[in-house]
Amino acid sequence: MSVGGLLASADFWEKESGAPLLRRNAGFLLADEPLSAELQERVARWPALCGADSSDGTVVPEGGCEDEAALRIFLRDAERTFSDGGHQTRMIDLLKRVWPENKDYHQGLGYTASLLMLLFDEDAAVSILLELTRNERFTPGYWKAAPDAYVRDAMVYTRLIEERHPQVHALLASACLVPEAYASKWFIGLCVHVLPFAALFDFVEAFLEEGYLFLFKFSIAIVAATSEHLLQYKSTDVNKILEVLRLDIGLYPDDYEGGAFFTRLVAEAKATKLEKEQVDTLRVEEGEKLAEKMRKTREREAQLAAEESDDEIVFSDEEDDESKGRPHARVATGTGG
């Protein structure tokens, strides 16, 4: 697979210099210049790193996407990503092409797809996206509106932080902050819009090479790197805590510590010691807990629905002579007696 994509267009920067996707480019991709030979060589390895070069990843179920709600979301996400209408249409077409795989969508897919669009033609981008959503080494189940696989992994992350950074864990628990409130952009969105591009490219390469294990290593590293900052706050400082965990650009601008903070963060994530066996064990344990929780939720919902049905006022058309033809309200108590 060869490197191509939107960056190969001569007028790309004229059309997209202010695009939201490029907000954290920080000069990594040079305007009006082709990718350097070194960067082209790096990016050209991405399909092989994830196995997309050897899989028939462009084969997807036929049908595209005719789901009106999904198409509206595709349009909104494309408008929030690119400035040029033609590029927005190309992003929508890419998402429509991937849609039959899951028949579902999460914004994290849009983030990842848009980054790949910069670098690869549509076939290559589709191959990589499908490898990430099909291969158990990566994150199948993440790119859904209700991603149970991510919720399970967020629970695993919580266990790891409790073990390695108990003070931060206690702060987050006291603040009633669950990972779903801040970690989805690390896990599902692959840090697009979180890391400046120099660090983002390092992050993506590590993820493609290591798979889901790297996401947990990164989550540990980000808590370690921000723990001193986090522990300055009280549990009532929820918004401030979230700003830190999300690496908000107001707190962590692209040139934070001369830009070294972000590249060091990814390097420290890569060096973090974490056994795959431990993560896999925790995944099983938390998956069982989640399944039981969902089972109880479904049972409770069914119970509430039944109670609501029993409490409805039912008008009977069975009238006796004394009713004089007036409708008679009968309340079903559901007692069965």
Side-chain angles (χ1 to χ4, degrees):
M1 297 182 184
S2 59
V3 177
L6 298 180
L7 287 172
S9 302
D11 58 354
F12 173 79
W13 290 100
E14 178 183 348
K15 293 179 176 180
E16 298 291 356
S17 60
L21 175 60
L22 300 172
R23 185 183 182 204
R24 302 210 77 159
N25 176 40
F28 181 72
L29 301 174
L30 300 178
D32 301 317
E33 292 188 22
L35 292 181
S36 67
E38 178 185 1
L39 189 53
Q40 287 190 48
E41 185 178 343
R42 283 181 63 185
V43 171
R45 291 196 296 266
W46 288 12
L49 283 175
C50 67
D53 63 327
S54 58
S55 65
D56 194 6
T58 59
V59 177
V60 295
E62 294 182 359
C65 179
E66 297 180 355
D67 187 293
E68 293 184 2
L71 292 173
R72 287 195 297 269
I73 295 172
F74 293 172
L75 175 59
R76 289 199 297 270
D77 281 359
E79 291 173 342
R80 288 191 286 247
T81 301
F82 293 108
S83 300
D84 177 68
H87 296 158
Q88 293 169 7
T89 298
R90 289 176 65 172
M91 179 174 171
I92 293 168
D93 289 342
L94 175 58
L95 296 176
K96 288 166 64 177
R97 187 169 168 187
V98 176
W99 166 265
E101 182 68 20
N102 294 312
K103 289 186 170 57
D104 209 338
Y105 179 73
H106 190 285
Q107 191 175 44
L109 169 59
Y111 289 173
T112 308
S114 63
L115 178 66
L116 295 176
M117 284 178 62
L118 295 179
L119 305 165
F120 297 96
D121 63 27
E122 185 175 293
D123 281 350
V126 168
S127 293
I128 295 172
L129 291 171
L130 292 181
E131 193 67 20
L132 300 185
T133 200
R134 289 172 174 172
N135 193 325
E136 292 295 331
R137 192 163 70 89
F138 297 107
T139 51
Y142 270 29
W143 289 332
K144 295 184 177 183
D148 295 340
Y150 162 67
V151 175
R152 173 205 63 204
D153 286 352
M155 294 164 68
V156 172
Y157 151 79
T158 299
R159 294 271 299 274
L160 292 170
I161 297 306
E162 182 179 16
E163 172 189 303
R164 299 191 181 213
H165 299 283
Q167 287 182 292
V168 173
H169 175 268
L171 173 68
L172 299 179
S174 179
C176 299
L177 279 175
V178 295
E180 293 91 324
Y182 59 86
S184 62
K185 286 189 177 181
W186 312 342
F187 283 82
I188 306 180
L190 297 184
C191 282
V192 177
H193 302 295
V194 175
L195 297 174
F197 272 31
L200 176 63
F201 276 52
D202 292 343
F203 175 98
V204 171
E205 286 174 356
F207 170 67
L208 295 178
E209 184 172 4
E210 296 190 47
Y212 65 81
L213 185 64
F214 179 73
L215 300 180
F216 293 101
K217 292 168 65 174
F218 180 81
S219 69
I220 293 169
I222 199 171
V223 171
T226 60
S227 60
E228 184 177 348
H229 200 165
L230 287 169
L231 294 174
Q232 295 176 1
Y233 296 125
K234 301 175 182 178
S235 60
T236 53
D237 297 324
V238 173
N239 289 336
K240 293 179 180 179
I241 293 171
L242 286 174
E243 287 174 354
V244 173
L245 290 168
R246 292 169 177 166
L247 297 185
D248 185 90
I249 198 168
L251 288 177
Y252 296 94
D254 295 337
D255 60 355
Y256 187 73
E257 295 183 2
F261 172 82
F262 301 100
T263 51
R264 185 174 66 248
L265 174 60
V266 178
E268 289 172 350
K270 292 167 69 174
T272 296
K273 302 297 183 184
L274 180 63
E275 295 298 325
K276 181 176 181 294
E277 291 75 14
Q278 180 190 11
V279 171
D280 289 347
T281 298
L282 292 175
R283 275 181 142 192
V284 171
E285 293 175 2
E286 297 306 315
E288 291 173 351
K289 291 178 185 177
L290 179 60
E292 178 64 12
K293 180 179 179 180
M294 293 174 65
R295 184 189 66 79
K296 290 181 177 179
T297 298
R298 288 192 296 269
E299 287 182 353
R300 180 58 179 160
E301 288 174 347
Q303 179 183 357
L304 290 173
E307 291 174 356
E308 182 178 344
S309 176
D310 286 346
D311 288 341
E312 288 180 353
I313 296 176
V314 179
F315 288 91
S316 172
D317 59 358
E318 297 178 1
E319 306 295 340
D320 57 25
D321 292 338
E322 295 178 355
S323 68
K324 298 181 181 180
R326 291 189 299 272
H328 174 67
R330 177 168 55 86
V331 179
T333 63
T335 60

